[in-house]
């Protein structure tokens, strides 16, 4: 895979596909981690005299213009981080985009409006997507793919545009791929994987693949209740995927046969409602009352999980242990994060909610070996899938 060091960018318009899909609340950015992650590649291109045109998406507007999903606030924050003005184009491939791209000086930076305002970006029709890719590629002379969080999507800006321009991977994608290779090739053992989040169905492929690679798998978050139910325990009103019980039982059987240790919580924080101020107690994992729902792993489970991480040499973590956004249910996620820090292992936080939790709970990002910008992309890579955005950069 070529990198930006292999490209001649001086004085040329370079289209950078970044991942700037950050959470917004009332127009305010609540976590700028992905914007900060995009800065090094943009700075490197600027330093070599490129005219940098950044494109990215925000949310799922489904091909319609939604003002609340405009990238204007992101342009302002990107400019602050770069220490220079970032010109914002009011459209993606229209008059504003062409005027903005054409007016850039060497070392200048522009940001196009939300790619997903254009139906061609995400279209499953090859011709429609290709037509949009032609227009997007027409803004630039070189393409740099650096939006790792989107490389698992066969979208125009990720998959089709690289075929139309000289292209290379940005520094972020190169770093992400190097880390993921350490999780799949010549892994330093013991190798522990911590999986959380709400649904087992979101993690089926990665669990299936890791049963042949990991030494131990720790399960928390909302998905744990399907595992507990599969073992014959009642889970009260907790999140449950009844249709996955057979699959989970098969995972537990296969893990035992393969010598992979499955670690499940021994206690649960169970509340009367999905609310921070709801009545809640710590109960045994096999004794969740009918009128309660589990919203976090309990304190004994936090200690158990930390102890199972202590001897690991490689740890991958994707998905919080509970509803960490509410303080009463943040302790399990905090315990796991601290367990990664204390382990001394090569630690990878797999993007998405896990990365947000690390920052929200006040951990120093430098305490982890790598915090990924792409949760879904990381999982699909670990499943062994071919990611369209990476394939396009390798061609």
């Amino acid at each position: 895979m070529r990198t930006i060091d292999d490209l001649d960018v001086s004085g040329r318009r370079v289209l950078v596909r970044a991942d700037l899909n950050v959470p917004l609340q009332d127009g305010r950015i609540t976590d700028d981690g992905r914007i900060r992650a995009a800065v090094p590649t943009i700075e490197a291109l600027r330093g070599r005299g490129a005219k940098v045109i950044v494109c990215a998406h925000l949310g799922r507007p489904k091909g319609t213009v939604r003002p609340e999903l405009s990238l204007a606030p992101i342009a302002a924050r990107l400019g602050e981080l770069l220490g220079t003005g970032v010109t914002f184009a009011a459209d993606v491939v229209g008059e504003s985009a062409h005027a903005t791209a054409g007016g850039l000086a060497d070392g200048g930076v522009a940001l196009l409006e939300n790619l997903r305002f254009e139906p061609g970006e995400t279209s499953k029709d090859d011709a429609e997507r290709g037509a949009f890719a032609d227009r997007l590629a027409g803004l630039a002379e070189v393409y740099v793919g650096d939006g790792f969080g989107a490389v698992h999507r066969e979208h125009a800006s990720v998959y089709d545009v690289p075929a139309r321009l000289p292209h290379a991977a940005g520094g972020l994608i190169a770093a992400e791929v190097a880390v993921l290779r350490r999780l799949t090739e010549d892994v330093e053992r013991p190798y522990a994987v911590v999986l959380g989040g709400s649904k087992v169905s979101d993690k089926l492929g990665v669990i299936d693949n890791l049963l042949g690679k990991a030494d131990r798998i720790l399960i928390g978050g909302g998905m744990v209740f399907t595992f507990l139910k599969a073992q014959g325990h009642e889970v009260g009103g907790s999140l449950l995927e009844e249709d996955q019980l057979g699959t989970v039982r098969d995972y537990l059987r296969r893990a035992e046969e393969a010598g992979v240790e499955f670690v499940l919580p021994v206690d649960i924080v169970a509340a009367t409602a999905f609310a921070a101020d709801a009545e809640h107690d710590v109960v045994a994992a096999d004794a969740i009352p009918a009128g309660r729902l589990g919203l976090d792993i309990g304190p004994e489970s936090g200690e158990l999980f930390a102890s199972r991480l202590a001897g690991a040499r490689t740890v991958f973590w994707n998905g919080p242990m509970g509803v960490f956004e509410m303080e009463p249910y943040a302790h399990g996620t905090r315990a796991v994060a601290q367990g990664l820090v204390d382990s001394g292992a090569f630690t990878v936080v797999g993007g998405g909610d896990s990365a947000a939790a690390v920052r929200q709970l006040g951990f120093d990002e430098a305490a982890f070996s790598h915090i990924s910008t792409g949760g879904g992309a990381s999982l699909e890579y670990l499943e062994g899938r071919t990611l369209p955005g990476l394939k396009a950069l390798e061609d």
Side-chain angles (χ1 to χ4, degrees), residues 3-4 37-38 40-42 44 144-146 168-178 370:
T3 70
I4 58 175
T41 292
I42 296 171
V144 171
D146 210 36
L172 177 60
I173 278 187
E176 294 272 14
V177 170
H370 182 73

Side-chain angles (χ1 to χ4, degrees), residues 256-282:
E256 185 174 3
E257 291 175 354
V260 176
E261 180 186 8
F262 250 100
V263 185
L264 299 177
V266 294
D267 59 348
I268 295 290
V269 179
T272 56
F274 189 85
D277 58 357
E279 181 183 336
H280 57 275
D281 298 292
V282 177

Side-chain angles (χ1 to χ4, degrees), residues 174-190:
E176 294 272 14
V177 170
V179 165
L180 287 168
R181 283 178 176 157
R182 288 190 62 174
L183 297 178
T184 54
E185 305 168 14
D186 300 320
V187 182
E188 189 174 357
R189 299 185 179 278

Side-chain angles (χ1 to χ4, degrees), residues 67-357:
E68 72 275 16
L69 292 178
S70 171
L71 289 180
I74 284 80
R77 181 58 180 148
L78 180 60
E80 291 172 356
L81 292 168
L82 289 169
T84 188
V86 172
T87 307
F88 181 63
D91 53 33
V92 184
V93 290
E95 290 183 8
S96 179
H98 279 274
T100 299
L104 280 176
D106 293 356
V109 182
L111 175 63
L112 305 179
E113 183 55 284
N114 193 336
L115 285 164
R116 292 187 183 175
F117 285 176
E118 293 282 346
E121 165 67 0
T122 58
S123 176
K124 296 187 184 303
D125 180 88
D126 290 348
E128 182 182 16
R129 205 178 61 246
F132 173 65
D134 287 339
R135 297 180 68 193
L136 189 58
L139 295 172
E141 300 160 273
V142 178
Y143 174 88
V144 171
D146 210 36
F148 180 73
V151 293
H152 58 315
R153 307 296 188 191
E154 195 170 299
H155 291 171
S157 65
V158 175
Y159 181 70
D160 299 280
V161 174
R164 290 156 166 79
L165 292 171
H167 56 267
L172 177 60
I173 278 187
E176 294 272 14
V177 170
V179 165
L180 287 168
R181 283 178 176 157
R182 288 190 62 174
L183 297 178
T184 54
E185 305 168 14
D186 300 320
V187 182
E188 189 174 357
R189 299 185 179 278
Y191 179 18
V193 175
V194 188
L195 297 175
S198 59
K199 295 181 179 180
V200 174
S201 54
D202 292 339
K203 306 289 196 301
L204 289 176
V206 74
I207 295 173
D208 188 72
N209 202 34
L210 288 171
L211 282 173
K213 295 182 172 65
D215 297 297
R216 62 184 68 112
I217 301 175
L218 290 64
I219 303 289
M223 62 187 289
V224 78
F225 302 108
T226 303
F227 279 85
L228 293 174
K229 183 72 171 181
Q231 291 183 321
H233 306 310
E234 291 304 318
V235 297
S238 306
L239 188 64
L240 177 64
E241 291 182 277
E242 294 268 6
D243 61 332
Q244 300 298 337
L245 290 173
T247 301
V248 167
R249 290 189 188 102
D250 184 58
Y251 286 157
L252 293 170
R253 177 190 58 78
R254 287 170 53 198
E256 185 174 3
E257 291 175 354
V260 176
E261 180 186 8
F262 250 100
V263 185
L264 299 177
V266 294
D267 59 348
I268 295 290
V269 179
T272 56
F274 189 85
D277 58 357
E279 181 183 336
H280 57 275
D281 298 292
V282 177
V283 301
D286 59 359
I288 300 172
R292 301 273 178 142
L293 63 158
L295 296 180
D296 193 14
I297 63 172
E300 285 188 36
S301 301
E303 293 178 8
L304 170 65
F305 281 24
S307 72
R308 302 313 295 144
L309 297 175
R313 299 308 307 148
T314 303
V315 181
F316 173 72
W317 171 32
N318 182 282
M321 298 295 99
V323 188
F324 71 92
E325 298 91 343
M326 303 180 190
E327 178 54 33
Y329 319 118
H331 303 296
T333 301
R334 185 178 287 112
V336 164
Q338 190 63 54
L340 264 73
V341 172
D342 294 341
S343 70
F346 176 69
T347 54
V348 179
V349 180
D353 288 340
S354 306

